[in-house]
Amino acid sequence: MDFPATVHILGKDILLHPITESLGIFVGMRYYTFLKRKDKEKFSNVNSLLILIAATLGALIGSHMIGSLERPDDLMKAPNLWAYIWLNNTIVGGLAGGLVGVEIMKKIIGKKESTGDRMVYPLLVAMFIGRIGCFFTGVYEETYGLQTDSIFGMDLGDHVPRHPVALYEMVFLAALFILLKYVQRHYSYRSGVLFQIFMLLYFSFRFFLDFIKPKYNIIFVLSTIQLVCVFIIIYYIYLIKKNRHEIIRSR
């Protein structure tokens, strides 16, 4: 298998990763629209649009801000600061930034209802498709794992057996999709709890996954992404603990 994988389109070789990222966003948005039509809408169309814009803008800012802070030394030495920030991004920052954007917008428009549950499955699908491209990029993008002698080690383009962390994440996302579907079908819960479980489990997974990825330690043995994960984990443990009495198994 050759890395990075390309697709031959109109006489040109195009990297697979940006194609899968775009496809993931498109499929995720279409899935979200489908679920939105099925649900009883609690927000006006204008408010829904404002929240979606806030989520998108927050995700964009958070993704590039956290991504560029992963290696502070490189950021400080970058000849073109804005280009460096634009070229570095992470889904962890995107999710955290999107969360902040939505909460700020809800404060502005005076809404307290949760808006996250409908976004869970589209996010999982979009992330899964995007990770396909991450895997096929190999070591040519920083979504690969450390060297390993385990049976899971793969040559991702540099002839060194490494943890295929993109594949690990794809398996986790698929399992999380199934788990949340089970929770949705067999439990009654307050609106927003499904999103809280998704965020808690995904950020917990990413916290541990990043120990087998190349990283720049900021505090002790933790990277910027792991520190963000810690804050998000604490926040959602608090929310779920506060609302645990509202999660009831359906008969």
Side-chain angles (χ1 to χ4, degrees):
M1 185 182 297
D2 294 328
F3 296 94
T6 59
V7 179
H8 195 71
I9 300 176
L10 299 177
K12 294 184 178 180
D13 290 328
I14 301 175
L15 287 174
L16 179 63
H17 193 189
I19 295 176
T20 59
E21 280 190 341
S22 301
L23 180 61
I25 292 171
F26 174 77
V27 173
M29 290 297 294
R30 297 308 303 165
Y31 193 2
Y32 174 81
T33 302
F34 170 75
L35 295 178
K36 184 172 180 290
R37 289 173 181 169
K38 291 179 62 177
D39 286 353
K40 293 180 180 179
E41 184 61 69
K42 294 183 179 180
F43 292 89
S44 69
N45 289 334
V46 173
N47 286 342
S48 294
L49 179 60
L50 288 174
I51 288 173
L52 185 59
I53 292 173
T56 303
L57 183 60
L60 182 65
I61 294 173
S63 173
H64 291 285
M65 183 177 71
I66 300 303
S68 61
L69 288 173
E70 284 190 76
R71 297 174 304 281
D73 289 347
D74 291 347
L75 176 63
M76 294 296 101
K77 297 175 183 177
N80 187 323
L81 181 63
W82 293 112
Y84 182 86
I85 293 174
W86 180 252
L87 292 173
N88 286 272
N89 57 80
T90 170
I91 186 63
V92 167
L95 289 173
L99 171 66
V100 173
V102 167
E103 293 303 319
I104 291 175
M105 181 55 69
K106 285 167 62 177
K107 291 286 186 182
I108 293 173
I109 63 179
K111 295 294 181 180
K112 296 182 179 180
E113 296 91 339
S114 174
T115 59
D117 284 359
R118 194 189 298 119
M119 298 180 181
V120 169
Y121 300 119
L123 279 172
L124 285 169
V125 171
M127 291 161 64
F128 183 92
I129 295 173
R131 283 307 183 208
I132 295 173
C134 291
F135 169 71
F136 282 104
T137 304
V139 295
Y140 298 93
E141 187 178 84
E142 294 187 0
T143 51
Y144 57 89
L146 297 175
Q147 183 175 350
T148 178
D149 294 325
S150 74
I151 60 173
F152 300 110
M154 293 184 64
D155 177 3
L156 299 175
D158 61 352
H159 307 297
V160 174
R162 296 182 178 276
H163 285 289
V165 291
L167 289 184
Y168 296 167
E169 186 164 340
M170 289 166 64
V171 172
F172 173 79
L173 292 172
L176 185 55
F177 188 101
I178 295 170
L179 172 64
L180 294 178
K181 280 292 185 181
Y182 178 86
V183 171
Q184 186 180 42
R185 290 171 182 169
H186 293 87
Y187 289 83
S188 298
Y189 49 86
R190 185 176 61 84
S191 177
V193 169
L194 198 69
F195 184 76
Q196 292 168 13
I197 296 173
F198 159 69
M199 291 288 277
L200 175 60
L201 293 182
Y202 180 74
F203 277 86
S204 298
F205 170 78
R206 278 303 306 266
F207 175 81
F208 291 106
L209 184 71
D210 277 41
F211 281 113
I212 57 172
K213 294 173 64 178
K215 62 188 179 74
Y216 184 104
N217 294 331
I218 301 296
I219 298 178
F220 302 116
V221 295
L222 301 181
S223 65
T224 300
I225 285 179
Q226 289 175 307
L227 291 173
V228 173
C229 288
V230 168
F231 288 119
I232 297 296
I233 290 168
I234 293 173
Y235 175 67
Y236 279 106
I237 287 177
Y238 164 75
L239 287 183
I240 291 175
K241 184 177 180 181
K242 184 174 71 171
N243 298 319
R244 68 183 184 277
H245 61 282
E246 298 184 22
I247 307 175
I248 305 171
R249 185 175 178 85
S250 301
R251 293 183 179 180

